[in-house]
Amino acid sequence: MNPSKADASLEVPPLLRVHKDGALERIAGTQVVPSGFDPQTGVLSKDKVFKPETGLSVRLYRLNKESSGHEKLPIVIYFHGGAFCVSSVFDPDYHKSLNTLVAEANIILISVNYRLAPEHPLPTAYEDCWAGLKCLNSQVAGNHDVEPWLKDKGDFERVYLVGDGAGANIAHHLAMRARNNSDFNLVKLAGIGLVNPYFWGEKPIGVEVTDPIRKAMVDKWWNFVYPCDKGCDDLLIHPFVDGAPSFANLACHKILVIVAEKDILRDRGKHYYENLVNSEWKGTADIFEIEGEDHAFHIFDPDCQKAKSLIKRLASFINQ
């Protein structure tokens, strides 16, 4: 047996383990890569702290070329995945994927480095990402360390929230919170893009019924990052639970849901889409399924043809 495993009091595979002495060992999402110029895509990135008291930061991306005339570019605020407990904006896989998205879509992208559970239990991640939206709002007002990339080329009338996995979950909840909220009233939220969204529930649906082992694994992920009385029927992970607020509260007019055929979360993404289009929300929604692939495949293998198709679909959604 691996000595590290033998010393573990809790494992949350394949993400992390907690040792008997309380030490936390992350198995995935620990590598980091610096910002800078990427010669393969022509994208430039830089890191910026936006909340010094907590150390919250973002990584900003844009093409390293001047756009024509006074053209303004869509602004995408991106939330990375990792089940709320692993990865960061400095992860090489995310960095490469986002360079590709920025090059394809010609956007300004802000990737938010929210704090992770269990050191920072939920709902910390949501609050950190909301702080990022408030910071963007203050950019328009010109009262918070105005970022030149945003001031010169950012289109505050075309702001998108995009994320994968846990990040897609965050994007949904922030879009619900943004409607009629004075902390986010100077920009226009045009849409949200949810890639392999991390929604769940106690009662299995779809493929979860025939795959109880993976169902139990995802149950364990959620109960680790947010142990609460409602378990996987908490509103944060189950947006259709009894008593959930109406989707009419979504502060955007279009939504794209992307799922992968082999992903244990696939049917939850489809369930989200079906509930959305049958709700009181008045926007337009679309769903796109990638055949033969599993969760976050486009992050781990961004050069494969299906990952390129996913990025092109997301870029098209942003630029419609």
Side-chain angles (χ1 to χ4, degrees), residues 49 62 90 95 116 125 148 150 201 208 210 221 229 234 243 253 298:
V49 174
R62 68 168 174 83
F90 315 116
H95 185 65
L116 302 175
L150 295 172
E208 301 161 34
T210 58
W221 293 351
D229 293 340
D234 187 271
H253 61 81
H298 67 293

Side-chain angles (χ1 to χ4, degrees), residues 28 33 49 53 91 98 102 133 138 141 162 169 192 205-206 219 221-222 257 261 282 294:
V33 66
V49 174
E53 60 269 31
D91 186 317
L98 295 183
V102 171
L133 297 196
S138 69
V162 178
N169 175 304
I192 58 176
I205 65 170
D219 287 349
W221 293 351
W222 178 254
V257 181
E261 181 186 11
K282 301 302 182 183
D294 210 331

Side-chain angles (χ1 to χ4, degrees), residues 37 42-44 62-68 73 103 106 153:
F37 177 66
V43 172
L44 184 65
R62 68 168 174 83
L63 276 170
N64 190 36
K65 67 177 184 180
E66 290 296 326
S67 54
S68 59
L73 304 177
N106 190 20
K153 290 297 179 181

Side-chain angles (χ1 to χ4, degrees), residues 48 138-152:
K48 187 168 185 176
S138 69
Q139 292 282 311
V140 185
N143 56 10
H144 180 82
D145 188 18
V146 177
E147 167 55 48
W149 289 8
L150 295 172
K151 178 183 178 182
D152 296 341

